Amino acid sequence: MSVQERKQRERAERERLIVATARELAEQQGWDAVTTRRLAERIEYSQPVLYSHFRGKREIIGAVALEGATEMAAAIRAATAAAAGPRARVTALARAYLDFAAHNPAVYDALFQLDGGLAFAHEDTPEPLKDAFAALLESLGEVAGDGVHPGVFTETFWAALHGLATLTRAGRLPPEYAGQRVELLVDRLAVV
């Protein structure tokens, strides 16, 4: 291995450490606790080393969001692959999405609540974000209904899931009706 390859590998490892530490800190204490100073202390590198990888917290949030989008897409695909039939796939998708939001609140916030400097629904949208939307579209497109654009249907269903996730996390919806909400969403929106 050449010196340059070793340096590139070490740089990539430092970057992964920064992202993992930011994510861990955010999950434990919230995004307000994530500062470059605290990250530098936790990973035992100087702040200039952090800034050599990321220009600031916004880019770190974006890196966590991209990692989270990849994980969310994988979770949705795993859940829908095990389901038989369109209705079961859409129900599995909804549950996987809501479970992801509940079990990864800081990542979910990085994806959908905080400014990570990422473009959504544009030509320059990063590939992991496009793939996360594609994971939704794969199951939802087939139940959009006649004359309904599959992408627009997916956006609408996603917006409903996001609303459920956000309101549930905020304690605005009683948790005992979570299953009924998913069934109602599938019954009323999906043509199965």
Coordinates of all heavy atoms in Angstrom, one line a residue, residues 112-148:
F112 N -34.7 15.2 7.9 CA -35.9 15.9 7.5 C -36.3 17.2 8.3 O -37.2 17.9 8.0 CB -37.1 15.0 7.6 CG -37.0 13.8 6.8 CD1 -37.0 12.5 7.4 CD2 -36.9 13.9 5.4 CE1 -36.9 11.4 6.6 CE2 -36.7 12.7 4.6 CZ -36.7 11.5 5.2
Q113 N -35.5 17.5 9.4 CA -35.8 18.7 10.2 C -34.7 19.7 10.1 O -35.0 20.9 10.2 CB -36.1 18.3 11.6 CG -37.2 17.2 11.8 CD -38.6 17.7 11.6 OE1 -38.9 18.1 10.5 NE2 -39.4 17.7 12.6
L114 N -33.5 19.3 10.1 CA -32.4 20.2 10.2 C -31.8 20.6 8.8 O -31.9 19.8 7.9 CB -31.3 19.6 11.1 CG -31.7 19.2 12.5 CD1 -30.6 18.5 13.2 CD2 -32.1 20.5 13.3
D115 N -31.1 21.7 8.8 CA -30.4 22.1 7.5 C -29.0 21.4 7.5 O -28.1 21.8 8.2 CB -30.2 23.6 7.5 CG -29.5 24.1 6.3 OD1 -29.3 23.3 5.3 OD2 -29.2 25.3 6.2
G116 N -29.0 20.4 6.6 CA -27.7 19.7 6.4 C -27.1 20.1 5.0 O -26.1 19.5 4.6
G117 N -27.6 21.2 4.4 CA -27.1 21.6 3.2 C -27.4 20.7 2.0 O -26.7 20.8 1.0
L118 N -28.3 19.8 2.1 CA -28.6 18.9 1.1 C -29.9 19.3 0.3 O -30.8 19.8 0.8 CB -28.9 17.5 1.7 CG -27.8 16.9 2.5 CD1 -28.2 15.6 3.2 CD2 -26.5 16.7 1.7
A119 N -29.8 19.1 -1.0 CA -30.9 19.5 -1.9 C -31.8 18.3 -2.0 O -31.4 17.1 -2.3 CB -30.4 19.9 -3.3
F120 N -33.1 18.5 -1.8 CA -34.1 17.4 -2.1 C -34.9 17.8 -3.3 O -35.1 18.9 -3.6 CB -35.1 17.4 -0.9 CG -34.6 16.7 0.3 CD1 -33.7 17.3 1.2 CD2 -34.9 15.4 0.6 CE1 -33.2 16.7 2.3 CE2 -34.4 14.7 1.7 CZ -33.6 15.4 2.6
A121 N -35.2 16.7 -4.1 CA -36.1 16.9 -5.3 C -35.5 17.8 -6.3 O -36.2 18.6 -6.9 CB -37.5 17.3 -4.9
H122 N -34.2 17.8 -6.5 CA -33.5 18.5 -7.5 C -32.6 17.6 -8.3 O -32.3 16.5 -7.9 CB -32.6 19.7 -6.8 CG -33.4 20.7 -6.2 ND1 -33.7 20.7 -4.9 CD2 -34.0 21.8 -6.7 CE1 -34.5 21.8 -4.6 NE2 -34.7 22.5 -5.7
E123 N -32.0 18.1 -9.4 CA -31.1 17.3 -10.1 C -29.8 17.0 -9.3 O -29.3 15.9 -9.5 CB -30.7 18.1 -11.4 CG -31.8 18.1 -12.5 CD -31.3 18.8 -13.7 OE1 -30.1 18.8 -14.1 OE2 -32.2 19.4 -14.4
D124 N -29.4 17.9 -8.5 CA -28.2 17.7 -7.7 C -28.5 17.0 -6.3 O -27.6 17.0 -5.5 CB -27.4 19.0 -7.5 CG -28.1 20.1 -6.8 OD1 -29.4 20.0 -6.7 OD2 -27.5 21.0 -6.3
T125 N -29.6 16.4 -6.2 CA -29.9 15.7 -4.9 C -28.9 14.5 -4.8 O -28.7 13.8 -5.8 CB -31.4 15.1 -5.0 OG1 -32.3 16.2 -5.0 CG2 -31.7 14.3 -3.7
P126 N -28.3 14.4 -3.7 CA -27.3 13.3 -3.5 C -28.0 11.9 -3.7 O -29.2 11.7 -3.3 CB -26.8 13.5 -2.0 CG -27.1 14.9 -1.7 CD -28.3 15.3 -2.5
E127 N -27.2 11.0 -4.2 CA -27.8 9.7 -4.5 C -28.4 9.0 -3.3 O -29.5 8.3 -3.5 CB -26.6 8.8 -5.1 CG -27.1 7.7 -6.0 CD -28.1 8.2 -7.1 OE1 -27.8 9.2 -7.8 OE2 -29.1 7.5 -7.3
P128 N -27.9 9.0 -2.1 CA -28.6 8.3 -1.0 C -30.0 8.8 -0.8 O -30.9 8.1 -0.4 CB -27.7 8.6 0.2 CG -26.3 8.7 -0.4 CD -26.6 9.5 -1.7
L129 N -30.2 10.1 -1.0 CA -31.6 10.7 -0.8 C -32.5 10.2 -1.9 O -33.7 9.9 -1.7 CB -31.5 12.2 -0.8 CG -30.7 12.8 0.4 CD1 -30.8 14.3 0.3 CD2 -31.2 12.4 1.7
K130 N -32.0 10.2 -3.2 CA -32.7 9.7 -4.3 C -33.1 8.2 -4.1 O -34.2 7.8 -4.4 CB -32.0 9.8 -5.6 CG -31.8 11.2 -6.1 CD -31.0 11.3 -7.4 CE -30.8 12.7 -7.9 NZ -30.0 12.7 -9.1
D131 N -32.2 7.5 -3.5 CA -32.4 6.0 -3.3 C -33.4 5.8 -2.2 O -34.3 4.9 -2.3 CB -31.1 5.3 -3.0 CG -31.3 3.8 -2.9 OD1 -31.8 3.2 -3.9 OD2 -31.0 3.2 -1.9
A132 N -33.4 6.6 -1.2 CA -34.4 6.5 -0.1 C -35.8 6.8 -0.7 O -36.8 6.1 -0.3 CB -34.1 7.5 1.0
F133 N -35.9 7.8 -1.5 CA -37.2 8.0 -2.2 C -37.6 6.9 -3.1 O -38.8 6.4 -3.1 CB -37.2 9.4 -2.9 CG -38.6 9.7 -3.5 CD1 -39.5 10.3 -2.7 CD2 -38.8 9.5 -4.8 CE1 -40.8 10.6 -3.2 CE2 -40.1 9.8 -5.4 CZ -41.1 10.4 -4.6
A134 N -36.6 6.3 -3.8 CA -36.9 5.2 -4.7 C -37.4 4.0 -3.9 O -38.3 3.2 -4.4 CB -35.6 4.8 -5.5
A135 N -36.9 3.8 -2.7 CA -37.3 2.7 -1.8 C -38.8 2.8 -1.5 O -39.6 1.9 -1.4 CB -36.5 2.6 -0.6
L136 N -39.3 4.1 -1.3 CA -40.7 4.3 -1.1 C -41.5 4.1 -2.4 O -42.5 3.4 -2.4 CB -40.9 5.8 -0.6 CG -40.3 6.2 0.8 CD1 -40.4 7.7 1.0 CD2 -40.9 5.4 1.9
L137 N -41.0 4.6 -3.4 CA -41.7 4.6 -4.7 C -41.9 3.1 -5.2 O -42.9 2.8 -5.8 CB -40.9 5.4 -5.8 CG -41.5 5.5 -7.2 CD1 -42.9 6.2 -7.2 CD2 -40.5 6.3 -8.1
E138 N -40.9 2.3 -4.9 CA -41.0 0.9 -5.4 C -42.3 0.2 -4.9 O -42.8 -0.6 -5.7 CB -39.8 0.1 -4.9 CG -38.5 0.5 -5.6 CD -37.2 0.1 -4.8 OE1 -37.3 -0.7 -3.8 OE2 -36.1 0.5 -5.2
S139 N -42.7 0.4 -3.7 CA -43.9 -0.2 -3.2 C -45.1 0.7 -3.4 O -46.2 0.2 -3.6 CB -43.8 -0.5 -1.7 OG -42.8 -1.6 -1.6
L140 N -45.0 2.0 -3.3 CA -46.1 2.9 -3.3 C -46.6 3.2 -4.7 O -47.8 3.4 -5.0 CB -45.8 4.2 -2.6 CG -45.6 4.1 -1.1 CD1 -45.1 5.4 -0.5 CD2 -46.8 3.6 -0.4
G141 N -45.7 3.2 -5.7 CA -46.0 3.4 -7.1 C -47.1 2.4 -7.6 O -47.9 2.8 -8.4
E142 N -47.0 1.2 -7.1 CA -47.9 0.2 -7.6 C -49.3 0.3 -7.0 O -50.3 -0.3 -7.5 CB -47.4 -1.2 -7.3 CG -47.4 -1.6 -5.9 CD -46.8 -3.0 -5.7 OE1 -47.1 -3.9 -6.5 OE2 -46.1 -3.2 -4.7
V143 N -49.5 1.2 -6.0 CA -50.8 1.3 -5.4 C -51.4 2.8 -5.5 O -52.3 3.2 -4.9 CB -50.8 0.9 -3.9 CG1 -50.5 -0.6 -3.8 CG2 -49.9 1.8 -3.1
A144 N -50.8 3.5 -6.5 CA -51.2 4.9 -6.6 C -52.6 5.1 -7.2 O -53.3 6.0 -6.9 CB -50.2 5.7 -7.5
G145 N -53.0 4.1 -8.0 CA -54.3 4.2 -8.6 C -54.2 4.7 -10.0 O -53.2 5.4 -10.4
D146 N -55.2 4.5 -10.8 CA -55.3 4.9 -12.2 C -55.3 6.4 -12.3 O -56.0 7.1 -11.6 CB -56.6 4.4 -12.8 CG -56.5 2.9 -13.0 OD1 -55.4 2.3 -13.0 OD2 -57.6 2.3 -13.1
G147 N -54.5 6.9 -13.2 CA -54.5 8.4 -13.4 C -53.7 9.2 -12.4 O -53.7 10.4 -12.5
V148 N -53.1 8.5 -11.4 CA -52.4 9.2 -10.4 C -50.9 9.0 -10.6 O -50.4 7.9 -10.8 CB -52.7 8.7 -9.0 CG1 -51.9 9.4 -7.9 CG2 -54.2 8.8 -8.7

